Amino acid sequence: MPKPAFPITDAALNQAQHWLETNSGGIFAHLLFMGDKHLLYAAEGRCLIQYKPIRNRIVALGDPIGAEEDYGRALLEFRDFADRHDLDPVCYEVAHKHLHLYHDCGFALFKIGEMGQVLINEFTVSGQRNQSLRGAVNRAIREGLTLELLQPPVNEMIWAQLKIISDAWLHARSASEKSFSLGAFERDYLSRSPLFLVRKGQQIIAFSNLTPSYQGRQELSVDLMRHLPNAPYGTMDFLFTRIIEWGRDEGYIWFNLGMAPLSGVGNIRYARPDERLARLAYDYGSHLYNYKGLRSFKEKFHPIWESRYIAYPLSRSLPQLLVDLAALIAGGYRQILTKP
């Protein structure tokens, strides 16, 4: 059986970092350093599950981390752990590759969106289909934009500039910091990995943080992507393009664009009723969340789309679960109920 959940302390996070460097990670591994999730070591310490409670549930982020051959055992231990505490086990953003393991553990499955993966060696801004992206990048270059990779530690002057950018980005969207499956502007978190800065001359106008996967050069990803409201057109296209090109030079295989929520859900006539309802949210819910705009931005990089799912107990209400998950990511029910 799994060990009890470790408290969320600096010592626990340092232990987890050593475990990741010794074992293996995944696309969500670095998010445990946000310190907002509990850590469950399973399969005799060969797997790690990060999870967070909400109401009567505990929600795991992604698939287990670590030895892939032990994922099934780790998931069964996670279910047992939840049962002992009379809680519903839920797994959020699990990969299509491992769905049989969730089925074997008695979970129901719901497609929550699609994750975009760019094969770095095949990425290019050349050709007719990349005309829009190439034009945006060239315009950014004419504006004098450059990319800088900044290794920690970061000095106080730069932190202050990044805080101004982050606050302006949030204010322009009437948004607050997210949690669980997304990082936030927390210095302790951002200090654990390199930062990419976009400068116009000497001024920093945008930044993003590299999120290590702890799987060697298998995969590259970023988390926070923030820019000043008056940043030149094409700034984020320039940022992503230059990061992918940097990844190619460093020998990475994949660049993970993250998930496009509700994308590819309920778009065939045999879809379940709850999936068709989710499709309506994707088609007409742009006043709450720009689902289509996010998908459209990521499509510029011609990714391979991979389905992602929620795994949850068969007898539970899906709509209520989706509200709980939205609140978990948004940082509370008030954030989703009062969003302008």
Side-chain angles (χ1 to χ4, degrees):
M1 301 301 290
K3 299 177 182 178
F6 288 110
I8 306 171
T9 63
D10 288 342
L13 295 180
N14 290 335
Q15 178 184 349
Q17 178 152 5
H18 175 74
W19 187 93
L20 289 170
E21 292 169 350
T22 303
N23 293 273
S24 181
I27 189 59
F28 297 117
H30 195 69
L31 278 168
L32 67 84
F33 296 112
M34 275 296 297
D36 62 343
K37 292 172 283 292
H38 297 282
L39 307 177
L40 188 67
Y41 292 87
E44 298 180 347
R46 292 188 293 274
C47 291
L48 175 59
I49 295 173
Q50 51 179 320
Y51 71 91
K52 190 172 183 178
I54 184 167
R55 289 200 319 113
N56 62 332
R57 315 182 198 275
I58 52 173
V59 184
L61 178 58
D63 297 302
I65 301 167
E68 192 168 345
E69 64 272 17
D70 290 310
Y71 282 6
R73 178 178 174 183
L75 289 172
L76 185 59
E77 292 182 3
F78 179 65
R79 284 218 67 164
D80 290 341
F81 178 78
D83 288 346
R84 289 202 309 272
H85 292 84
D86 196 26
L87 297 169
D88 287 343
V90 178
C91 302
Y92 179 72
E93 281 199 52
V94 301
H96 184 275
K97 178 181 180 181
H98 303 118
L99 291 190
H100 64 289
L101 300 177
Y102 295 89
H103 177 273
D104 291 347
C105 289
F107 286 102
L109 297 162
F110 177 79
K111 184 175 176 178
I112 194 62
E114 295 181 328
M115 184 171 284
Q117 297 266 31
V118 178
L119 187 58
I120 291 179
N121 277 342
E122 295 184 2
F123 174 76
T124 179
V125 295
S126 302
Q128 180 65 31
R129 73 170 186 165
N130 296 306
Q131 183 176 358
S132 175
L133 178 61
R134 183 170 64 253
V137 171
N138 288 340
R139 179 171 175 177
I141 293 171
R142 290 194 299 270
E143 292 273 0
L145 271 57
T146 58
L147 183 73
E148 175 186 346
L149 177 65
L150 183 63
Q151 298 285 352
V154 176
N155 65 50
E156 289 297 326
M157 184 176 66
I158 290 181
W159 278 125
Q161 294 176 61
L162 299 183
K163 182 69 164 57
I164 290 171
I165 295 170
S166 180
D167 289 347
W169 188 89
L170 291 170
H171 179 74
R173 288 159 178 75
S174 299
S176 59
E177 293 286 11
K178 302 298 187 286
S179 64
F180 187 64
S181 61
L182 299 168
F185 191 90
E186 298 285 349
R187 283 183 55 166
D188 289 345
Y189 170 64
L190 295 176
S191 295
R192 287 182 176 267
S193 63
L195 299 172
F196 291 101
L197 310 180
V198 177
R199 292 184 183 269
K200 183 177 181 182
Q202 294 301 311
Q203 182 189 14
I204 302 173
I205 62 169
F207 73 93
S208 187
N209 64 318
L210 186 152
T211 51
S213 67
Y214 303 91
Q215 293 177 311
R217 305 285 173 165
Q218 177 70 22
E219 192 169 26
L220 169 68
S221 187
V222 295
D223 185 15
L224 270 71
M225 297 158 283
R226 299 191 173 173
H227 59 82
L228 290 173
N230 62 349
Y233 172 82
T235 295
M236 301 312 287
D237 297 309
F238 172 83
L239 172 64
F240 272 64
T241 298
R242 287 293 185 259
I243 290 175
I244 294 172
E245 292 170 346
W246 175 86
R248 179 190 298 136
D249 294 340
E250 293 293 315
Y252 283 91
I253 299 173
W254 295 98
F255 179 70
N256 192 306
L257 287 166
M259 193 172 71
L262 300 186
S263 176
V265 179
N267 55 1
I268 61 173
R269 62 177 179 170
Y270 297 110
R272 291 164 21 183
D274 49 15
E275 292 175 336
R276 291 199 294 270
L277 182 62
R279 184 67 190 185
L280 289 175
Y282 179 80
D283 287 337
Y284 303 109
S286 59
H287 65 291
L288 294 175
Y289 188 92
N290 191 12
Y291 297 109
K292 286 189 172 181
L294 182 60
R295 171 81 182 216
S296 178
F297 172 77
K298 295 180 179 183
E299 283 281 12
K300 296 178 183 180
F301 302 91
H302 308 294
I304 297 169
W305 292 103
E306 299 179 353
S307 299
R308 289 295 184 270
Y309 297 83
I310 300 169
Y312 62 100
L314 278 165
S315 59
R316 298 302 183 259
S317 165
L318 181 62
Q320 188 175 10
L321 170 59
L322 294 177
V323 171
D324 288 343
L325 289 172
L328 187 67
I329 295 166
Y333 294 96
R334 179 174 297 181
Q335 298 296 335
I336 59 172
L337 295 176
T338 63
K339 182 177 177 62

